[in-house]
Amino acid sequence: MSGTTTASAAPRGRAAGAGANRWLVLVVLCVSLLLVAVDATVLHVAVPAVTEDLRPGAVELLWIVDAYPLVCASLLILFGTLGDRVGRRRVLLFGYALFGIASGMAALADDPPVLIAARALLGVGGAMIMPATLSLLRQVFPDRRERALAIGVWSAVAAVGAAVGPLIGGFLLEHFWWGSVFLINIPLMLVSLPVGRILLPESKGDGDGPWDVVGALLAAAGLFAAVLGVKRLGGGEPVTGVWTVLPLLAGAVLLFAFVRRQRRRTHPLVDLRMFARPAFSTSVGCIVLAMLALVGLELIAAQYLQLVLGLSPLETGLRLLPLTVAAMAAGLAGARMLRRFGPRRMVCSGFCLTAAAVVSLTAMGGQDNAPLLFTGFVLLGFGLETTLFGAYESMLSEAPPQQAGGAAAIGETSYQLGAGVGIALLGSVMNAAYGPGTAGVPGVPASASAAASHSLGEAYEVADRLGGPAGAALRQAARHAFVHGLHVTLLVSAGLLLVGAAMALRLPRAMQCETGAVEVPAPREAAEARVSGLKV
């Protein structure tokens, strides 16, 4: 799969203006990313309010949080290749519109299935938006030095989205109902839709061969089946249960069939030969591991701050702010660090710093320790963003320019899949470590203990219904069990991060730069060219 950006025939003397337009295009692409990044984190601080209002089961709650990233990850390849055929800008604009509609649907949801469906529809919109940002960035910035700086700005905006999501979500929850956290997407969409139509250049692939719809559906179904199995494990289902084993097996079979189909096709959806390049495959693996640790920990940390420490949603958003501010700083400094240290040392050091931060956070207990949380979150944000920046830049630079669309789809799939699986996997670890702590509490019936083992929020509800000494004992036991589960989850996350550090040793030592330039038409020229029937 290839990608090209076709510019209007502007005079060579206006190359400087074209260069300026590249940065204008970057601004629009960053706004697109902000739209998706905000929605990926805005729900975190609202989970307790959603649980109290809609009363979803443990599996339903996981799906409410996880439906968006998993649907998005499943459909990135489909919409990435569709953008290569019909135009990435066109798919991007449709994604904006769908995102706004789904946001309104989520805000008005009155039961868990409707909210899950709305989150899934948001995932469809996100899958239409995400591939365009990276594939256009790769085409508009062919010079690696400029591209590194552009990726730094791009990743800093992702961190801004992660910061703004919980903060705005916490503010809205202080004054409105939980559905208001979805309404912030609508103003962003209303601005992005007309601005993107005017400023973004259209780009398409070469269009060779038929579009492999069957392959895209195989990938989507395989990812869904595999993660469903992981979710059932996270919901406390037995490992040997039929409805746990079957989805895992089905996912493995479907993904194997997808890979086999792509290898045999003359014009595959994704050129899997890119994975034969050590730097490319290693970068993809590092993105998955980094996101797996980040999103799962953010969700658990938000629950810890609200349910254990008793902070309000707004206070929770403010406590998480140092993590994302540090990530912004790492993104903006990433280009300089990459030139000085090279991809190998940069990504490996980022993983090690993140692992050290995660281990330090195991000192958290039932009492608030603001300096520890601040230090740990700062190190966590800086280390993870350093890792993601180096991995993304290496992945895009390793892919040939004509395969930018495929590389972007793979990178964003890895990002979203790592986020979704991270919530499911670390949630499973958390549930496994937390559940036994609520059993055998004096004066608490077995049925009440079983209900309390699902989540800390449910344990508090059961304790309130019981009342008296038994309720107080259950509440205390559940808090201790949650803190214990948090410590276990942090240690598992640190182990995964160290695996990522070892994996990063396969990356190149130094940053090798190529030269080149792509002219991007000015907005007025682009409009004139579209009117005249030219591709821009």
Side-chain angles (χ1 to χ4, degrees):
M1 182 172 58
S2 63
T4 59
T5 301
T6 309
S8 60
R12 292 293 177 185
R14 302 181 64 176
N21 285 334
R22 288 205 296 275
W23 300 104
L24 188 60
V25 168
L26 175 64
V27 172
V28 179
L29 295 180
C30 286
V31 172
S32 304
L33 178 66
L34 184 66
L35 182 73
V36 179
V38 165
D39 202 74
T41 59
V42 70
L43 189 62
H44 289 180
V45 295
V47 167
V50 171
T51 302
E52 181 180 355
D53 187 22
L54 300 184
R55 299 188 180 278
V59 174
E60 284 182 322
L61 183 59
L62 279 174
W63 274 109
I64 287 172
V65 176
D66 222 12
Y68 169 76
L70 291 177
V71 169
C72 189
S74 300
L75 298 179
L76 281 168
I77 292 176
L78 188 152
F79 285 117
T81 55
L82 181 63
D84 287 339
R85 294 305 181 104
V86 304
R88 298 179 183 114
R89 185 184 69 121
R90 181 177 299 175
V91 172
L92 179 70
L93 296 180
F94 274 112
Y96 288 154
L98 184 60
F99 219 82
I101 294 171
S103 297
M105 179 180 170
L108 299 177
D110 57 0
D111 58 55
V114 173
L115 183 55
I116 292 170
R119 291 280 290 170
L121 196 60
L122 281 167
V124 177
M128 301 175 79
I129 295 170
M130 291 295 283
T133 61
L134 271 182
S135 58
L136 284 174
L137 188 149
R138 177 65 177 88
Q139 294 294 332
V140 174
F141 293 93
D143 180 76
R144 188 167 185 179
R145 293 182 185 88
E146 281 193 348
R147 185 166 62 247
L149 180 58
I151 292 175
V153 175
W154 181 87
S155 60
V157 168
V160 169
V164 168
L167 192 59
I168 294 181
F171 175 80
L172 292 173
L173 287 172
E174 290 283 326
H175 300 87
F176 306 101
W177 92 113
W178 59 264
S180 62
V181 303
F182 294 105
L183 296 180
I184 60 175
N185 295 328
I186 296 177
L188 285 173
M189 181 276 296
L190 291 175
V191 173
S192 299
L193 194 59
V195 172
R197 179 176 174 79
I198 295 171
L199 296 181
L200 286 178
E202 185 61 283
S203 71
K204 296 181 181 180
D206 53 26
D208 291 340
W211 186 41
D212 186 13
V213 180
V214 174
L217 294 177
L218 277 175
L223 290 170
F224 258 101
V227 175
L228 177 61
V230 174
K231 282 181 171 295
R232 291 188 63 82
L233 290 175
E237 299 293 332
V239 177
T240 58
V242 174
W243 296 110
T244 300
V245 174
L246 281 181
L248 292 173
L249 289 177
V253 170
L254 289 171
L255 292 176
F256 176 79
F258 169 75
V259 171
R260 188 176 181 181
R261 180 180 177 88
Q262 297 308 297
R263 289 184 180 277
R264 291 182 171 183
R265 290 184 64 86
T266 305
H267 302 286
L269 277 174
V270 177
D271 189 354
L272 298 178
R273 291 175 297 179
M274 287 189 291
F275 283 95
R277 302 172 179 234
F280 185 88
S281 58
T282 299
S283 297
V284 170
C286 289
I287 292 170
V288 171
L289 284 172
M291 287 307 302
L292 190 152
L294 173 63
V295 177
L297 287 178
E298 276 194 343
L299 178 62
I300 294 172
Q303 295 182 35
Y304 168 79
L305 293 172
Q306 291 185 71
L307 297 178
V308 176
L309 300 186
L311 302 182
S312 69
L314 180 58
E315 290 171 331
T316 298
L318 290 173
R319 285 294 186 93
L320 292 172
L321 191 59
L323 186 152
T324 44
V325 171
M328 290 168 52
L332 294 175
R336 179 173 297 180
M337 290 192 294
L338 187 64
R339 289 195 300 268
R340 180 172 182 179
F341 301 112
R344 180 185 299 181
R345 281 192 290 175
M346 183 175 180
V347 176
C348 186
S349 299
F351 269 124
C352 291
L353 178 61
T354 307
V358 167
V359 171
S360 72
L361 290 175
T362 58
M364 294 187 300
Q367 303 299 321
D368 191 5
N369 189 337
L372 172 66
L373 291 175
F374 177 84
T375 303
F377 286 162
V378 167
L379 295 178
L380 184 65
F382 193 90
L384 271 172
E385 183 59 29
T386 298
T387 299
L388 286 171
F389 175 92
Y392 261 114
E393 200 283 335
S394 297
M395 182 200 71
L396 283 180
S397 298
E398 186 67 18
Q402 66 271 20
Q403 296 176 355
I410 291 171
E412 293 305 328
T413 300
S414 304
Y415 184 98
Q416 295 292 341
L417 184 61
V421 174
I423 292 174
L425 178 61
L426 294 186
S428 300
V429 173
M430 181 71 189
N431 289 342
Y434 162 78
T438 62
V441 179
V444 177
S447 59
S449 295
S453 67
H454 294 156
S455 68
L456 184 57
E458 287 192 51
Y460 283 174
E461 292 180 6
V462 173
D464 290 340
R465 289 199 300 268
L466 288 175
L474 179 60
R475 176 180 287 268
Q476 186 70 11
R479 289 180 76 252
H480 284 305
F482 187 91
V483 172
H484 168 71
L486 176 62
H487 292 166
V488 173
T489 305
L490 288 171
L491 292 176
V492 170
S493 179
L496 293 172
L497 291 167
L498 292 178
V499 170
M503 182 187 299
L505 296 176
R506 299 180 68 221
L507 291 173
R509 288 180 179 271
M511 177 183 177
Q512 297 178 352
C513 299
E514 72 274 15
T515 60
V518 170
E519 293 186 10
V520 178
R524 181 176 179 181
E525 295 168 345
E528 292 172 353
R530 283 197 293 274
V531 170
S532 63
L534 295 177
K535 292 189 300 180
V536 294

mmCIF file of all heavy atoms in Angstrom, residues 266-306:
data_model
loop_
_atom_site.group_PDB
_atom_site.id
_atom_site.type_symbol
_atom_site.label_atom_id
_atom_site.label_comp_id
_atom_site.label_asym_id
_atom_site.label_seq_id
_atom_site.Cartn_x
_atom_site.Cartn_y
_atom_site.Cartn_z
ATOM 1 N N THR A 266 -1.032 -10.313 -4.310
ATOM 2 C CA THR A 266 -0.126 -9.454 -5.071
ATOM 3 C C THR A 266 -0.202 -8.017 -4.559
ATOM 4 O O THR A 266 0.805 -7.307 -4.497
ATOM 5 C CB THR A 266 -0.492 -9.490 -6.567
ATOM 6 O OG1 THR A 266 -0.488 -10.845 -7.014
ATOM 7 C CG2 THR A 266 0.504 -8.680 -7.390
ATOM 8 N N HIS A 267 -1.402 -7.588 -4.199
ATOM 9 C CA HIS A 267 -1.600 -6.237 -3.677
ATOM 10 C C HIS A 267 -2.251 -6.343 -2.296
ATOM 11 O O HIS A 267 -3.471 -6.201 -2.153
ATOM 12 C CB HIS A 267 -2.481 -5.424 -4.619
ATOM 13 C CG HIS A 267 -1.935 -5.314 -6.005
ATOM 14 N ND1 HIS A 267 -0.862 -4.515 -6.326
ATOM 15 C CD2 HIS A 267 -2.305 -5.928 -7.162
ATOM 16 C CE1 HIS A 267 -0.599 -4.622 -7.613
ATOM 17 N NE2 HIS A 267 -1.450 -5.478 -8.144
ATOM 18 N N PRO A 268 -1.464 -6.597 -1.258
ATOM 19 C CA PRO A 268 -2.036 -6.780 0.083
ATOM 20 C C PRO A 268 -2.504 -5.456 0.688
ATOM 21 O O PRO A 268 -2.078 -4.371 0.275
ATOM 22 C CB PRO A 268 -0.873 -7.364 0.885
ATOM 23 C CG PRO A 268 0.339 -6.804 0.217
ATOM 24 C CD PRO A 268 -0.001 -6.719 -1.255
ATOM 25 N N LEU A 269 -3.388 -5.575 1.670
ATOM 26 C CA LEU A 269 -3.773 -4.391 2.429
ATOM 27 C C LEU A 269 -2.568 -3.772 3.125
ATOM 28 O O LEU A 269 -2.369 -2.567 3.118
ATOM 29 C CB LEU A 269 -4.819 -4.767 3.485
ATOM 30 C CG LEU A 269 -6.283 -4.856 3.066
ATOM 31 C CD1 LEU A 269 -7.098 -5.389 4.218
ATOM 32 C CD2 LEU A 269 -6.786 -3.505 2.611
ATOM 33 N N VAL A 270 -1.777 -4.623 3.750
ATOM 34 C CA VAL A 270 -0.586 -4.200 4.482
ATOM 35 C C VAL A 270 0.592 -5.016 3.976
ATOM 36 O O VAL A 270 0.518 -6.251 3.921
ATOM 37 C CB VAL A 270 -0.764 -4.408 6.010
ATOM 38 C CG1 VAL A 270 0.517 -4.042 6.742
ATOM 39 C CG2 VAL A 270 -1.934 -3.591 6.527
ATOM 40 N N ASP A 271 1.644 -4.339 3.586
ATOM 41 C CA ASP A 271 2.841 -5.032 3.120
ATOM 42 C C ASP A 271 3.602 -5.557 4.349
ATOM 43 O O ASP A 271 4.335 -4.817 5.004
ATOM 44 C CB ASP A 271 3.723 -4.081 2.319
ATOM 45 C CG ASP A 271 4.871 -4.816 1.637
ATOM 46 O OD1 ASP A 271 5.035 -6.029 1.892
ATOM 47 O OD2 ASP A 271 5.601 -4.182 0.859
ATOM 48 N N LEU A 272 3.399 -6.831 4.652
ATOM 49 C CA LEU A 272 4.010 -7.413 5.853
ATOM 50 C C LEU A 272 5.517 -7.545 5.740
ATOM 51 O O LEU A 272 6.178 -7.864 6.736
ATOM 52 C CB LEU A 272 3.374 -8.784 6.134
ATOM 53 C CG LEU A 272 1.869 -8.756 6.426
ATOM 54 C CD1 LEU A 272 1.344 -10.167 6.630
ATOM 55 C CD2 LEU A 272 1.564 -7.893 7.637
ATOM 56 N N ARG A 273 6.070 -7.304 4.550
ATOM 57 C CA ARG A 273 7.529 -7.362 4.425
ATOM 58 C C ARG A 273 8.209 -6.264 5.238
ATOM 59 O O ARG A 273 9.402 -6.365 5.541
ATOM 60 C CB ARG A 273 7.927 -7.247 2.952
ATOM 61 C CG ARG A 273 7.555 -8.470 2.108
ATOM 62 C CD ARG A 273 7.870 -8.253 0.653
ATOM 63 N NE ARG A 273 7.073 -7.146 0.116
ATOM 64 C CZ ARG A 273 7.163 -6.731 -1.152
ATOM 65 N NH1 ARG A 273 8.009 -7.325 -1.991
ATOM 66 N NH2 ARG A 273 6.415 -5.724 -1.578
ATOM 67 N N MET A 274 7.436 -5.224 5.601
ATOM 68 C CA MET A 274 8.019 -4.181 6.443
ATOM 69 C C MET A 274 8.453 -4.743 7.791
ATOM 70 O O MET A 274 9.397 -4.240 8.416
ATOM 71 C CB MET A 274 7.019 -3.048 6.646
ATOM 72 C CG MET A 274 6.809 -2.174 5.421
ATOM 73 S SD MET A 274 5.824 -0.692 5.761
ATOM 74 C CE MET A 274 4.218 -1.408 6.088
ATOM 75 N N PHE A 275 7.762 -5.795 8.273
ATOM 76 C CA PHE A 275 8.121 -6.379 9.560
ATOM 77 C C PHE A 275 9.444 -7.131 9.503
ATOM 78 O O PHE A 275 10.005 -7.469 10.550
ATOM 79 C CB PHE A 275 7.013 -7.309 10.044
ATOM 80 C CG PHE A 275 5.830 -6.587 10.606
ATOM 81 C CD1 PHE A 275 4.730 -6.304 9.806
ATOM 82 C CD2 PHE A 275 5.815 -6.158 11.913
ATOM 83 C CE1 PHE A 275 3.629 -5.631 10.311
ATOM 84 C CE2 PHE A 275 4.731 -5.482 12.440
ATOM 85 C CZ PHE A 275 3.632 -5.210 11.632
ATOM 86 N N ALA A 276 9.925 -7.423 8.303
ATOM 87 C CA ALA A 276 11.240 -8.055 8.183
ATOM 88 C C ALA A 276 12.364 -7.078 8.510
ATOM 89 O O ALA A 276 13.498 -7.492 8.761
ATOM 90 C CB ALA A 276 11.428 -8.614 6.773
ATOM 91 N N ARG A 277 12.053 -5.805 8.523
ATOM 92 C CA ARG A 277 13.045 -4.792 8.906
ATOM 93 C C ARG A 277 13.094 -4.726 10.430
ATOM 94 O O ARG A 277 12.097 -4.381 11.064
ATOM 95 C CB ARG A 277 12.663 -3.432 8.326
ATOM 96 C CG ARG A 277 12.533 -3.428 6.814
ATOM 97 C CD ARG A 277 11.959 -2.104 6.347
ATOM 98 N NE ARG A 277 11.849 -2.062 4.902
ATOM 99 C CZ ARG A 277 12.375 -1.104 4.142
ATOM 100 N NH1 ARG A 277 13.034 -0.106 4.696
ATOM 101 N NH2 ARG A 277 12.221 -1.146 2.842
ATOM 102 N N PRO A 278 14.223 -5.036 11.051
ATOM 103 C CA PRO A 278 14.284 -5.078 12.524
ATOM 104 C C PRO A 278 13.828 -3.782 13.187
ATOM 105 O O PRO A 278 13.117 -3.815 14.188
ATOM 106 C CB PRO A 278 15.759 -5.377 12.805
ATOM 107 C CG PRO A 278 16.256 -6.058 11.570
ATOM 108 C CD PRO A 278 15.511 -5.427 10.442
ATOM 109 N N ALA A 279 14.217 -2.645 12.611
ATOM 110 C CA ALA A 279 13.852 -1.371 13.243
ATOM 111 C C ALA A 279 12.349 -1.160 13.214
ATOM 112 O O ALA A 279 11.764 -0.652 14.185
ATOM 113 C CB ALA A 279 14.568 -0.213 12.537
ATOM 114 N N PHE A 280 11.691 -1.549 12.128
ATOM 115 C CA PHE A 280 10.248 -1.351 12.014
ATOM 116 C C PHE A 280 9.502 -2.253 12.995
ATOM 117 O O PHE A 280 8.652 -1.787 13.767
ATOM 118 C CB PHE A 280 9.788 -1.637 10.580
ATOM 119 C CG PHE A 280 8.330 -1.351 10.345
ATOM 120 C CD1 PHE A 280 7.913 -0.087 9.974
ATOM 121 C CD2 PHE A 280 7.375 -2.340 10.513
ATOM 122 C CE1 PHE A 280 6.563 0.182 9.762
ATOM 123 C CE2 PHE A 280 6.027 -2.089 10.308
ATOM 124 C CZ PHE A 280 5.632 -0.814 9.934
ATOM 125 N N SER A 281 9.790 -3.546 12.967
ATOM 126 C CA SER A 281 9.078 -4.475 13.851
ATOM 127 C C SER A 281 9.358 -4.169 15.312
ATOM 128 O O SER A 281 8.463 -4.274 16.160
ATOM 129 C CB SER A 281 9.471 -5.916 13.513
ATOM 130 O OG SER A 281 10.872 -6.102 13.623
ATOM 131 N N THR A 282 10.584 -3.785 15.624
ATOM 132 C CA THR A 282 10.916 -3.449 17.012
ATOM 133 C C THR A 282 10.157 -2.207 17.465
ATOM 134 O O THR A 282 9.642 -2.146 18.586
ATOM 135 C CB THR A 282 12.424 -3.223 17.151
ATOM 136 O OG1 THR A 282 13.122 -4.415 16.801
ATOM 137 C CG2 THR A 282 12.784 -2.835 18.579
ATOM 138 N N SER A 283 10.072 -1.202 16.598
ATOM 139 C CA SER A 283 9.350 0.020 16.954
ATOM 140 C C SER A 283 7.882 -0.268 17.227
ATOM 141 O O SER A 283 7.303 0.259 18.181
ATOM 142 C CB SER A 283 9.480 1.048 15.819
ATOM 143 O OG SER A 283 10.832 1.419 15.629
ATOM 144 N N VAL A 284 7.266 -1.116 16.399
ATOM 145 C CA VAL A 284 5.866 -1.468 16.604
ATOM 146 C C VAL A 284 5.686 -2.163 17.952
ATOM 147 O O VAL A 284 4.763 -1.860 18.717
ATOM 148 C CB VAL A 284 5.360 -2.354 15.451
ATOM 149 C CG1 VAL A 284 3.978 -2.931 15.778
ATOM 150 C CG2 VAL A 284 5.306 -1.556 14.154
ATOM 151 N N GLY A 285 6.560 -3.102 18.275
ATOM 152 C CA GLY A 285 6.485 -3.792 19.560
ATOM 153 C C GLY A 285 6.655 -2.845 20.736
ATOM 154 O O GLY A 285 5.967 -2.971 21.758
ATOM 155 N N CYS A 286 7.538 -1.865 20.594
ATOM 156 C CA CYS A 286 7.747 -0.897 21.671
ATOM 157 C C CYS A 286 6.517 -0.018 21.875
ATOM 158 O O CYS A 286 6.164 0.324 23.013
ATOM 159 C CB CYS A 286 8.969 -0.026 21.356
ATOM 160 S SG CYS A 286 10.555 -0.885 21.474
ATOM 161 N N ILE A 287 5.841 0.355 20.785
ATOM 162 C CA ILE A 287 4.622 1.156 20.907
ATOM 163 C C ILE A 287 3.551 0.381 21.666
ATOM 164 O O ILE A 287 2.876 0.922 22.549
ATOM 165 C CB ILE A 287 4.118 1.565 19.509
ATOM 166 C CG1 ILE A 287 5.089 2.558 18.861
ATOM 167 C CG2 ILE A 287 2.723 2.177 19.591
ATOM 168 C CD1 ILE A 287 4.797 2.833 17.400
ATOM 169 N N VAL A 288 3.384 -0.898 21.331
ATOM 170 C CA VAL A 288 2.380 -1.722 22.002
ATOM 171 C C VAL A 288 2.665 -1.804 23.497
ATOM 172 O O VAL A 288 1.777 -1.598 24.338
ATOM 173 C CB VAL A 288 2.329 -3.130 21.385
ATOM 174 C CG1 VAL A 288 1.441 -4.048 22.222
ATOM 175 C CG2 VAL A 288 1.800 -3.065 19.954
ATOM 176 N N LEU A 289 3.910 -2.095 23.858
ATOM 177 C CA LEU A 289 4.249 -2.248 25.272
ATOM 178 C C LEU A 289 4.115 -0.935 26.033
ATOM 179 O O LEU A 289 3.638 -0.914 27.175
ATOM 180 C CB LEU A 289 5.676 -2.792 25.404
ATOM 181 C CG LEU A 289 5.845 -4.286 25.105
ATOM 182 C CD1 LEU A 289 7.315 -4.660 25.080
ATOM 183 C CD2 LEU A 289 5.115 -5.123 26.140
ATOM 184 N N ALA A 290 4.512 0.165 25.418
ATOM 185 C CA ALA A 290 4.420 1.455 26.099
ATOM 186 C C ALA A 290 2.961 1.837 26.357
ATOM 187 O O ALA A 290 2.602 2.270 27.455
ATOM 188 C CB ALA A 290 5.122 2.532 25.276
ATOM 189 N N MET A 291 2.107 1.662 25.346
ATOM 190 C CA MET A 291 0.706 2.005 25.532
ATOM 191 C C MET A 291 0.009 1.043 26.488
ATOM 192 O O MET A 291 -0.882 1.424 27.238
ATOM 193 C CB MET A 291 -0.007 2.009 24.183
ATOM 194 C CG MET A 291 0.358 3.191 23.314
ATOM 195 S SD MET A 291 0.140 4.773 24.170
ATOM 196 C CE MET A 291 -1.591 4.703 24.613
ATOM 197 N N LEU A 292 0.410 -0.215 26.441
ATOM 198 C CA LEU A 292 -0.156 -1.204 27.356
ATOM 199 C C LEU A 292 0.042 -0.763 28.803
ATOM 200 O O LEU A 292 -0.863 -0.856 29.629
ATOM 201 C CB LEU A 292 0.497 -2.558 27.094
ATOM 202 C CG LEU A 292 -0.095 -3.793 27.777
ATOM 203 C CD1 LEU A 292 0.166 -5.027 26.924
ATOM 204 C CD2 LEU A 292 0.522 -3.998 29.149
ATOM 205 N N ALA A 293 1.231 -0.250 29.102
ATOM 206 C CA ALA A 293 1.514 0.191 30.465
ATOM 207 C C ALA A 293 0.805 1.501 30.795
ATOM 208 O O ALA A 293 0.237 1.661 31.871
ATOM 209 C CB ALA A 293 3.023 0.347 30.654
ATOM 210 N N LEU A 294 0.790 2.446 29.848
ATOM 211 C CA LEU A 294 0.299 3.784 30.139
ATOM 212 C C LEU A 294 -1.198 3.824 30.410
ATOM 213 O O LEU A 294 -1.649 4.298 31.456
ATOM 214 C CB LEU A 294 0.632 4.722 28.974
ATOM 215 C CG LEU A 294 0.035 6.128 29.064
ATOM 216 C CD1 LEU A 294 0.583 6.869 30.267
ATOM 217 C CD2 LEU A 294 0.291 6.908 27.786
ATOM 218 N N VAL A 295 -2.010 3.305 29.472
ATOM 219 C CA VAL A 295 -3.451 3.480 29.582
ATOM 220 C C VAL A 295 -4.019 2.670 30.742
ATOM 221 O O VAL A 295 -4.878 3.145 31.484
ATOM 222 C CB VAL A 295 -4.133 3.110 28.247
ATOM 223 C CG1 VAL A 295 -5.640 3.228 28.368
ATOM 224 C CG2 VAL A 295 -3.623 4.008 27.139
ATOM 225 N N GLY A 296 -3.555 1.435 30.909
ATOM 226 C CA GLY A 296 -4.027 0.632 32.028
ATOM 227 C C GLY A 296 -3.710 1.266 33.363
ATOM 228 O O GLY A 296 -4.543 1.315 34.275
ATOM 229 N N LEU A 297 -2.494 1.806 33.497
ATOM 230 C CA LEU A 297 -2.107 2.444 34.751
ATOM 231 C C LEU A 297 -2.894 3.728 34.995
ATOM 232 O O LEU A 297 -3.246 4.037 36.141
ATOM 233 C CB LEU A 297 -0.603 2.740 34.739
ATOM 234 C CG LEU A 297 0.313 1.529 34.886
ATOM 235 C CD1 LEU A 297 1.767 1.957 34.796
ATOM 236 C CD2 LEU A 297 0.060 0.807 36.191
ATOM 237 N N GLU A 298 -3.174 4.492 33.933
ATOM 238 C CA GLU A 298 -3.940 5.723 34.114
ATOM 239 C C GLU A 298 -5.342 5.426 34.641
ATOM 240 O O GLU A 298 -5.851 6.122 35.509
ATOM 241 C CB GLU A 298 -4.027 6.487 32.791
ATOM 242 C CG GLU A 298 -2.822 7.352 32.514
ATOM 243 C CD GLU A 298 -3.086 8.330 31.392
ATOM 244 O OE1 GLU A 298 -4.060 8.136 30.636
ATOM 245 O OE2 GLU A 298 -2.310 9.287 31.265
ATOM 246 N N LEU A 299 -5.962 4.375 34.081
ATOM 247 C CA LEU A 299 -7.312 4.026 34.524
ATOM 248 C C LEU A 299 -7.311 3.597 35.988
ATOM 249 O O LEU A 299 -8.139 4.042 36.789
ATOM 250 C CB LEU A 299 -7.873 2.913 33.644
ATOM 251 C CG LEU A 299 -9.267 2.403 34.012
ATOM 252 C CD1 LEU A 299 -10.298 3.514 33.900
ATOM 253 C CD2 LEU A 299 -9.660 1.227 33.131
ATOM 254 N N ILE A 300 -6.370 2.726 36.355
ATOM 255 C CA ILE A 300 -6.296 2.242 37.732
ATOM 256 C C ILE A 300 -5.930 3.383 38.681
ATOM 257 O O ILE A 300 -6.461 3.491 39.795
ATOM 258 C CB ILE A 300 -5.296 1.086 37.833
ATOM 259 C CG1 ILE A 300 -5.820 -0.118 37.034
ATOM 260 C CG2 ILE A 300 -5.067 0.682 39.285
ATOM 261 C CD1 ILE A 300 -4.819 -1.247 36.899
ATOM 262 N N ALA A 301 -5.017 4.275 38.239
ATOM 263 C CA ALA A 301 -4.620 5.401 39.082
ATOM 264 C C ALA A 301 -5.807 6.321 39.344
ATOM 265 O O ALA A 301 -5.979 6.825 40.460
ATOM 266 C CB ALA A 301 -3.488 6.175 38.419
ATOM 267 N N ALA A 302 -6.652 6.545 38.324
ATOM 268 C CA ALA A 302 -7.828 7.403 38.519
ATOM 269 C C ALA A 302 -8.772 6.796 39.548
ATOM 270 O O ALA A 302 -9.330 7.510 40.405
ATOM 271 C CB ALA A 302 -8.547 7.607 37.186
ATOM 272 N N GLN A 303 -8.956 5.480 39.505
ATOM 273 C CA GLN A 303 -9.813 4.821 40.493
ATOM 274 C C GLN A 303 -9.190 4.891 41.886
ATOM 275 O O GLN A 303 -9.894 5.095 42.878
ATOM 276 C CB GLN A 303 -10.050 3.376 40.088
ATOM 277 C CG GLN A 303 -10.837 3.235 38.795
ATOM 278 C CD GLN A 303 -11.093 1.783 38.437
ATOM 279 O OE1 GLN A 303 -11.289 0.952 39.306
ATOM 280 N NE2 GLN A 303 -11.092 1.483 37.148
ATOM 281 N N TYR A 304 -7.872 4.735 41.969
ATOM 282 C CA TYR A 304 -7.183 4.819 43.262
ATOM 283 C C TYR A 304 -7.374 6.210 43.878
ATOM 284 O O TYR A 304 -7.687 6.345 45.075
ATOM 285 C CB TYR A 304 -5.694 4.526 43.071
ATOM 286 C CG TYR A 304 -4.832 4.859 44.268
ATOM 287 C CD1 TYR A 304 -4.764 4.000 45.363
ATOM 288 C CD2 TYR A 304 -4.087 6.033 44.291
ATOM 289 C CE1 TYR A 304 -3.970 4.312 46.460
ATOM 290 C CE2 TYR A 304 -3.295 6.346 45.384
ATOM 291 C CZ TYR A 304 -3.235 5.491 46.471
ATOM 292 O OH TYR A 304 -2.451 5.801 47.553
ATOM 293 N N LEU A 305 -7.181 7.245 43.073
ATOM 294 C CA LEU A 305 -7.270 8.599 43.590
ATOM 295 C C LEU A 305 -8.683 8.924 44.075
ATOM 296 O O LEU A 305 -8.857 9.611 45.087
ATOM 297 C CB LEU A 305 -6.846 9.596 42.507
ATOM 298 C CG LEU A 305 -5.365 9.554 42.102
ATOM 299 C CD1 LEU A 305 -5.108 10.452 40.898
ATOM 300 C CD2 LEU A 305 -4.465 9.962 43.259
ATOM 301 N N GLN A 306 -9.699 8.434 43.366
ATOM 302 C CA GLN A 306 -11.074 8.766 43.742
ATOM 303 C C GLN A 306 -11.625 7.849 44.828
ATOM 304 O O GLN A 306 -12.246 8.322 45.783
ATOM 305 C CB GLN A 306 -11.972 8.689 42.498
ATOM 306 C CG GLN A 306 -11.692 9.779 41.475
ATOM 307 C CD GLN A 306 -12.681 9.751 40.328
ATOM 308 O OE1 GLN A 306 -13.845 10.095 40.500
ATOM 309 N NE2 GLN A 306 -12.230 9.344 39.157
#
